[in-house]
């Protein structure tokens, strides 16, 4: 079943087309990769999906709802969570406080309730804390809950950003290079976490340059080059696609299943 659908999306900056007539879809509760060389348009595509920019033309939809012109907070509220290439955390807040920010979208407390500290507000505050802690625990970060986020190693910061995105209760999670800079041990743990997220009936679309990680983790791959779709298919199909090899991989990747 199609879940997230991009229909002939084009994004022009002046006379330059960063993304051109791009169409693809993801299936519900599947892990999909969007790959391609630097400058292929992957992050621009993520920005289009998450509402940071509006396409010049074309349509982005989630579960048949057009989200092309929505603001980022609206896109997030209807079910699209996102991380970034460089973790966007609040370094001077604790890990728990960072994730609590994501939980705020799940409250319905109005201005008056906040101002007068009504029981509804206190209940929402407790729910936010509980939800944030559960997401930290889910990603084995609960031991860092009271630690300043800026003091955490890169691997934990990446997981912290994923925890915050999960706290928004997404239908689909966009992960921008989640494996960048991680050790082999951290990569294995990240793969386990992604599978656990999928088991929560959350779809995943990830941009990633680590091909061994991609081909062992995802179920479907979309390849971009020069802002256009070059190919799409299952990992084994993409890994042997001559156009992909020539444009991006350089040579056919050999997945080391023991060390990937």
């Amino acid at each position: 079943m199609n879940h997230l659908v991009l229909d002939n999306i084009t994004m022009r900056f002046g006379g330059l087309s960063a993304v051109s007539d791009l169409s693809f879809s993801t299936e519900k509760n599947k892990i999909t990769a969007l790959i391609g060389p630097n400058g292929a348009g992957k992050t621009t595509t993520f920005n289009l999906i998450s509402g940071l920019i509006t396409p010049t033309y074309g349509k982005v939809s989630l579960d048949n709802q057009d989200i092309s012109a929505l603001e980022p907070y609206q896109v997030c509220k209807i079910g699209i969570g996102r991380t970034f290439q460089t973790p966007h955390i609040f370094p001077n807040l604790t890990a728990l406080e960072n994730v609590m920010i994501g939980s705020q979208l799940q409250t319905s407390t109005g201005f008056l309730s906040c101002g007068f500290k009504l029981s509804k507000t206190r209940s929402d505050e407790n729910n936010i804390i509980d939800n944030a802690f559960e997401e930290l625990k889910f990603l084995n970060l609960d031991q860092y809950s009271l630690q300043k986020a800026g003091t955490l190693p890169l691997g934990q910061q990446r997981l912290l950003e994923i925890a915050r995105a999960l706290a928004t209760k997404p239908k689909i999670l966009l992960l921008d290079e989640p494996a960048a800079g991680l050790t082999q041990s951290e990569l294995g743990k990240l793969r386990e976490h992604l599978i656990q997220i999928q088991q929560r009936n959350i779809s995943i679309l990830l941009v990633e340059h680590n091909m061994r990680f991609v081909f062992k983790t995802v179920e479907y791959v979309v390849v971009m080059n020069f802002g256009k779709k070059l190919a799409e298919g299952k990992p084994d199909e993409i890994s042997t696609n001559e156009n992909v090899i020539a444009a991006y991989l350089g040579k056919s990747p050999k997945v080391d299943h023991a060390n990937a």
Side-chain angles (χ1 to χ4, degrees), residues 191 210-217 254-256 259-260:
R191 184 181 299 110
N210 186 325
M211 291 298 98
R212 288 183 175 181
F213 180 83
V214 166
F215 290 136
K216 192 172 181 182
T217 304
K254 295 181 179 179
V255 180
D256 184 348
N259 298 313

Side-chain angles (χ1 to χ4, degrees), residues 200-249:
R200 289 172 55 173
N201 296 324
I202 299 173
S203 309
I204 297 173
L205 176 63
L206 63 88
V207 165
E208 187 50 64
H209 287 289
N210 186 325
M211 291 298 98
R212 288 183 175 181
F213 180 83
V214 166
F215 290 136
K216 192 172 181 182
T217 304
V218 311
E219 297 156 283
Y220 200 76
V221 182
V222 178
V223 188
M224 292 184 67
N225 197 26
F226 298 112
K228 298 182 178 181
K229 183 173 70 177
L230 177 64
E232 63 180 314
K234 295 180 180 179
D236 57 345
E237 297 170 339
I238 294 301
S239 67
T240 57
N241 184 298
E242 292 184 0
N243 290 330
V244 175
I245 293 169
Y248 179 49
L249 300 176

Side-chain angles (χ1 to χ4, degrees), residues 90-109:
F90 296 92
N92 293 321
L93 298 182
T94 66
L96 181 64
E97 289 167 336
N98 268 268
V99 182
M100 286 171 62
I101 292 170
S103 298
Q104 290 284 348
L105 277 178
Q106 302 307 312
T107 68
S108 57
T109 303

Side-chain angles (χ1 to χ4, degrees), residues 123-135:
S123 176
D124 277 348
E125 287 176 349
N126 290 334
N127 288 337
I128 287 171
I129 293 171
D130 290 344
N131 179 55
F133 190 79
E134 284 302 311
E135 296 300 353

Side-chain angles (χ1 to χ4, degrees), residues 74-223:
Q74 295 173 314
V75 172
C76 185
K77 200 159 188 174
I78 68 168
I80 297 181
R82 184 198 173 159
T83 68
F84 294 82
Q85 288 180 14
T86 302
H88 285 197
I89 60 170
F90 296 92
N92 293 321
L93 298 182
T94 66
L96 181 64
E97 289 167 336
N98 268 268
V99 182
M100 286 171 62
I101 292 170
S103 298
Q104 290 284 348
L105 277 178
Q106 302 307 312
T107 68
S108 57
T109 303
F111 174 76
L112 289 177
S113 296
C114 291
F116 290 103
K117 289 290 183 180
L118 301 181
S119 59
K120 172 61 175 172
T121 303
R122 293 192 295 272
S123 176
D124 277 348
E125 287 176 349
N126 290 334
N127 288 337
I128 287 171
I129 293 171
D130 290 344
N131 179 55
F133 190 79
E134 284 302 311
E135 296 300 353
L136 287 174
K137 188 175 180 180
F138 175 72
L139 294 173
N140 299 322
L141 293 174
D142 47 310
Q143 61 186 308
Y144 306 112
S145 61
L146 300 181
Q147 189 169 328
K148 291 290 180 68
T151 67
L152 297 175
L154 176 61
Q156 275 68 47
Q157 289 187 12
R158 290 198 181 281
L159 288 178
L160 179 60
E161 195 178 31
I162 293 174
R164 187 176 61 204
L166 288 173
T168 68
K169 306 299 184 186
K171 297 177 182 177
I172 183 169
L173 197 57
L174 309 183
L175 304 179
D176 199 346
E177 298 191 30
L182 300 188
T183 65
Q184 282 298 121
S185 175
E186 289 172 331
L187 286 173
K189 292 177 182 177
L190 176 61
R191 184 181 299 110
E192 291 175 4
H193 287 314
L194 296 189
I195 293 171
Q196 291 167 348
I197 291 169
Q198 181 187 25
Q199 290 170 346
R200 289 172 55 173
N201 296 324
I202 299 173
S203 309
I204 297 173
L205 176 63
L206 63 88
V207 165
E208 187 50 64
H209 287 289
N210 186 325
M211 291 298 98
R212 288 183 175 181
F213 180 83
V214 166
F215 290 136
K216 192 172 181 182
T217 304
V218 311
E219 297 156 283
Y220 200 76
V221 182
V222 178
V223 188

